[in-house]
Amino acid sequence: MSHAVSVAASIVDLKVSIQESDTIHPSSSNKTDQKSMFLSHLDQSDDLNLQTLHFFTSNPDFSPESVVERLRGAVRESLDPFFFVAGRKKRNADSHKLVIDCSDSVGVGFVVAKSECTLEEIGDLAYPHPAFEQLVSLDLKRGDDKLLLNFQVTIFKCGGFSMGITNDHITFDGVSFKIYLHSLAAFAANRPMIITPYTDRHLLAAQSPSSPHIAFQQSKLPRSLLNPLDVSEQSHPLIVSVFKLDASDIAKLKRKAVKSDDQPDENTKGDASKHMISGFNVTAALIWKNRVSTICYAVDVRSRLQPRLPESYIGNAVVLAYATPSTYTELKSCSFRKVVEMVAEGAMEITHDSVRCVLDGMDPRDNEEYFYGECLVSSWCKLGIERVEYPWGKPKYYCPVVYRKKNSVVMFPSMQNEDGSLSNNGTGINVLVTHSSSEEMNIFERHFSELLEE
């Protein structure tokens, strides 16, 4: 059964002290001859960092010190196939578009820290505590340049440790970040990479406009898409809760969508309609019912382009889908099934032609801003990052550090059972929700529970 975990008002000090701060550069044999790396229209995010935490319990076969050295070596080895992460971001003098300068390495940050706490003292690792910021390095400057990738290994008193990673969004999307982590794990185990990364982003370069783009340009867009969505970092604390949905909750929501009195639309009958009733769609529908707005969410386009992108493509290959109700009354009064279908229809509109329109810079929603709408729903559930096998084991828990992002909802996989043991089925979903006031959060939590129990 679902329950909410809220952030405490007081900030707990994890008593973290920095032991070492280094910059890892490519070895002379790994230096690239490439001067500049092209970035597609989907990579053009000027100031968007992603921070993730990966917690590991102690392993008697791998002391924390040996893990640090293995990881340090793995990061250095990764700078051969993933050469661009050691570069610097700059704007092309002619096009004014962002590129990665690979001609002179800025390097990758590598910080080693210690905490006087144990993992047990932290408690529920799904708890989005502000103190988790102590586990990711926030000093990303090296001279006049900003690091594109930074690691912080924090060793806890119990022998467990965390790996905090901060990366500029131009380096990876979720799928390519997983590929990088698999490669890092392989290097740490002295094994060859499972997947050879495809790093030429010219596959998503702009092309000449073609007739299908015209229809996309002339399509009617919701008024709310005229306003950019603010998902900036907030200087003041936000009210944050994590709503935990276990496998039975997800199954219940799916049954609720199937048993709806509404008949599926002509375009979504049969197997296509059943396909819409996914874990993401029913959870997003539950959130949307509580947060009437235009929601947007990322859709991986690797399989939607013609020809398909290589599965090993490294870079940003996601575009935003939108779900918008005609009226406030429609969303509140229609059946749960209909809301699920409206969420799914946003992704169905992401086709080869619409993606090419975005890549060519012709999307009428594109106005030098990245997000539009009122709420960004981001799902990390299907990436499989929590299943990456390092020599010292899989993460006990993995989560984003996003508690200061306003107007955003993040879904990430539940990796623990109610008793704290590790989950093997991976079917639970944790939903991180932010609000500006406790009153707003209380209303959301009450409606969320009521809808789930209906």
Side-chain angles (χ1 to χ4, degrees):
M1 184 58 62
S2 70
H3 63 282
V5 180
S6 299
V7 173
S10 60
I11 297 178
V12 173
D13 185 4
L14 297 182
K15 300 178 181 178
V16 173
S17 59
I18 302 299
Q19 306 294 303
E20 175 188 350
S21 183
D22 192 13
T23 305
I24 300 177
H25 296 277
S27 63
S28 57
S29 61
N30 287 349
K31 288 186 177 178
T32 179
D33 294 329
Q34 186 168 336
K35 301 298 182 184
S36 180
M37 183 177 189
F38 168 80
L39 299 176
S40 81
H41 190 68
L42 301 183
D43 297 313
Q44 299 292 319
S45 57
D46 197 13
D47 189 21
L48 183 61
N49 291 319
L50 297 180
Q51 297 173 330
T52 57
L53 276 174
H54 313 248
F55 292 95
F56 299 86
T57 54
S58 61
N59 185 326
D61 296 327
F62 293 91
S63 68
E65 292 73 21
S66 68
V67 169
V68 166
E69 291 313 307
R70 278 182 177 249
L71 189 57
R72 191 197 310 270
V75 171
R76 179 173 287 107
E77 196 168 350
S78 76
L79 299 186
D80 183 7
F82 298 92
F83 58 91
F84 57 91
V85 298
R88 57 167 61 86
K89 183 166 60 175
K90 72 175 186 178
R91 289 198 177 272
N92 181 280
D94 298 323
S95 68
H96 302 292
K97 295 293 186 181
L98 290 172
V99 297
I100 298 179
D101 180 4
C102 305
S103 60
D104 187 19
S105 170
V106 177
V108 171
F110 195 85
V111 175
V112 181
K114 286 189 176 181
S115 169
E116 295 181 25
C117 298
T118 66
L119 287 176
E120 290 72 19
E121 288 172 334
I122 295 176
D124 188 351
L125 296 178
Y127 191 85
H129 210 287
F132 282 179
E133 268 201 345
Q134 300 172 39
L135 305 179
V136 290
S137 180
L138 301 178
D139 180 16
L140 303 177
K141 292 291 264 184
R142 291 297 184 271
D144 295 330
D145 297 303
K146 186 172 84 70
L147 296 173
L148 299 182
L149 183 62
N150 195 84
F151 288 80
Q152 179 176 320
V153 182
T154 304
I155 303 169
F156 296 97
K157 191 168 60 175
C158 58
F161 61 93
S162 64
M163 180 174 68
I165 303 177
T166 303
N167 68 284
D168 191 301
H169 207 297
I170 66 170
T171 55
F172 307 112
D173 64 2
V175 173
S176 48
F177 184 52
K178 179 188 67 174
I179 293 172
Y180 176 75
L181 292 180
H182 274 296
S183 301
L184 198 69
F187 291 141
N190 297 315
R191 293 186 284 103
M193 291 186 300
I194 299 174
I195 300 175
T196 301
Y198 190 99
T199 58
D200 185 356
R201 304 192 188 187
H202 283 94
L203 289 180
L204 295 184
Q207 299 176 354
S208 299
S210 57
S211 56
H213 297 159
I214 297 174
F216 188 74
Q217 279 186 291
Q218 295 176 345
S219 63
K220 292 183 178 180
L221 293 168
R223 182 179 298 275
S224 61
L225 295 190
L226 300 177
N227 300 315
L229 172 63
D230 182 6
V231 290
S232 59
E233 294 275 349
Q234 300 300 293
S235 57
H236 60 279
L238 293 171
I239 306 300
V240 181
S241 282
V242 169
F243 295 85
K244 297 186 173 185
L245 302 176
D246 59 26
S248 63
D249 293 323
I250 302 300
K252 183 176 182 178
L253 289 173
K254 290 182 178 181
R255 290 194 300 270
K256 183 176 180 179
V258 171
K259 291 179 180 179
S260 168
D261 293 336
D262 276 7
Q263 293 298 316
D265 292 341
E266 289 296 324
N267 296 330
T268 60
K269 283 186 177 179
D271 292 340
S273 180
K274 292 179 181 178
H275 182 68
M276 287 183 171
I277 305 175
S278 65
F280 171 82
N281 288 342
V282 297
T283 306
L286 182 64
I287 295 165
W288 198 18
K289 271 277 196 179
N290 285 277
R291 203 163 184 167
V292 178
S293 58
T294 291
I295 64 169
C296 53
Y297 56 94
V299 175
D300 182 6
V301 301
R302 284 168 173 79
S303 62
R304 298 181 185 236
L305 288 167
Q306 302 169 2
R308 295 166 60 113
L309 285 181
E311 292 185 6
S312 58
Y313 179 83
I314 302 298
N316 288 277
V318 295
V319 300
L320 292 180
Y322 294 87
T324 306
S326 299
T327 64
Y328 174 90
T329 304
E330 177 195 13
L331 190 58
K332 282 298 183 184
S333 61
C334 67
S335 70
F336 186 68
R337 181 195 188 101
K338 180 61 179 176
V339 179
V340 172
E341 289 180 353
M342 285 194 290
V343 171
E345 285 165 3
M348 292 174 63
E349 294 175 0
I350 306 300
T351 63
H352 170 81
D353 289 331
S354 63
V355 174
R356 286 263 37 121
C357 183
V358 175
L359 293 172
D360 292 349
M362 297 177 61
D363 186 341
R365 295 165 289 196
D366 179 35
N367 185 28
E368 299 302 321
E369 298 285 351
Y370 197 70
F371 305 119
Y372 286 78
E374 286 92 30
C375 180
L376 173 65
V377 179
S378 178
S379 176
W380 301 45
C381 293
K382 297 296 185 182
L383 295 178
I385 291 174
E386 72 281 0
R387 295 192 295 273
V388 175
E389 183 80 46
Y390 298 87
W392 45 86
K394 296 178 183 178
K396 173 182 174 65
Y397 201 75
Y398 144 79
C399 63
V401 182
V402 291
Y403 76 96
R404 285 188 177 178
K405 296 283 188 182
K406 66 183 296 189
N407 299 324
S408 62
V409 174
V410 182
M411 302 181 196
F412 49 100
S414 175
M415 299 168 61
Q416 290 177 294
N417 298 312
E418 290 297 321
D419 61 0
S421 61
L422 295 181
S423 172
N424 295 318
N425 54 38
T427 54
I429 295 177
N430 289 342
V431 183
L432 187 152
V433 180
T434 61
H435 279 291
S436 58
S437 70
S438 56
E439 291 78 13
E440 290 179 354
M441 184 63 77
N442 290 338
I443 293 171
F444 183 93
E445 184 171 344
R446 185 175 69 252
H447 289 171
F448 190 94
S449 301
E450 289 172 355
L451 281 170
L452 188 61
E453 294 304 318
E454 284 181 356

